[in-house]
Amino acid sequence: MNRSHPARGLLAATAVTGLLTATSCAPSHQHATGAAGRAPAVATTAEPPEETLEPLLEQALPGVKGKTFTSALVTFPPGGRAAPHRHGTAFVYAYVLEGSFRSRLAGEPVRTYRRGDSWTEQPGAHHVLTENTSGTQPGRLLVIFISDTGSQLKTED
């Protein structure tokens, strides 16, 4: 079993965050505050909240030159959704840890995935819908990317 040392995990988090700069994913510990430390008012017409990403591990694949394994926890707040996107040349595996998600790749029907379900995305697939089906509970995914080393992992439309 490969266990990651905390310092290496921090380095991996920094590297993965750099690879994901084109995403809407922001660290979950960043919150804007207004006067007296209160969160600013949010207009009721705002878009649904987006997902946050917590990088776990980035590692070159042994014996597979030019390919990298990257894992991350992706949390969707209640009613949260991702903007339509692609993952470039990455092969993607997503596993539902908590909650329920509606997902659709271009050219395919909408599918619902619950805790314990998983799906894959082929390189270049257009992910047009990913949303937490609950308006009251967060949802979490474990997402694995097998990508070209140094490539961008997510590009929003």
Side-chain angles (χ1 to χ4, degrees):
M1 181 172 188
N2 183 10
R3 292 190 177 252
S4 179
H5 184 274
R8 280 183 261 152
L10 179 58
L11 292 174
T14 302
V16 172
T17 301
L19 289 173
L20 296 172
T21 54
T23 72
S24 61
C25 303
S28 59
H29 65 276
Q30 292 181 348
H31 298 284
T33 57
R38 292 183 309 235
V42 177
T44 58
T45 59
E47 291 294 316
E50 295 180 344
E51 76 278 16
T52 58
L53 182 137
E54 178 186 343
L56 297 174
L57 176 69
E58 179 183 37
Q59 180 175 336
L61 284 173
V64 186
K65 186 177 180 178
K67 294 292 183 182
T68 297
F69 171 97
T70 305
S71 62
L73 288 177
V74 182
T75 302
F76 285 75
R81 70 173 56 167
H85 61 276
R86 297 176 192 269
H87 294 289
T89 61
F91 173 80
V92 178
Y93 171 79
Y95 179 84
V96 181
L97 295 168
E98 288 180 46
S100 175
F101 291 87
R102 284 177 8 117
S103 179
R104 184 169 84 81
L105 299 176
E108 295 185 13
V110 173
R111 292 186 170 96
T112 300
Y113 298 94
R114 292 171 179 76
R115 187 178 67 181
D117 291 341
S118 62
W119 70 86
T120 61
E121 297 177 35
Q122 297 299 314
H126 189 199
H127 203 157
V128 296
L129 173 68
T130 314
E131 68 181 356
N132 179 354
T133 63
S134 174
T136 59
Q137 299 295 315
R140 290 188 340 141
L141 301 170
L142 170 65
V143 182
I144 307 293
F145 304 89
I146 304 297
S147 63
D148 293 338
T149 300
S151 68
Q152 190 170 309
L153 294 178
K154 182 180 176 187
T155 304
E156 292 183 356
D157 291 357

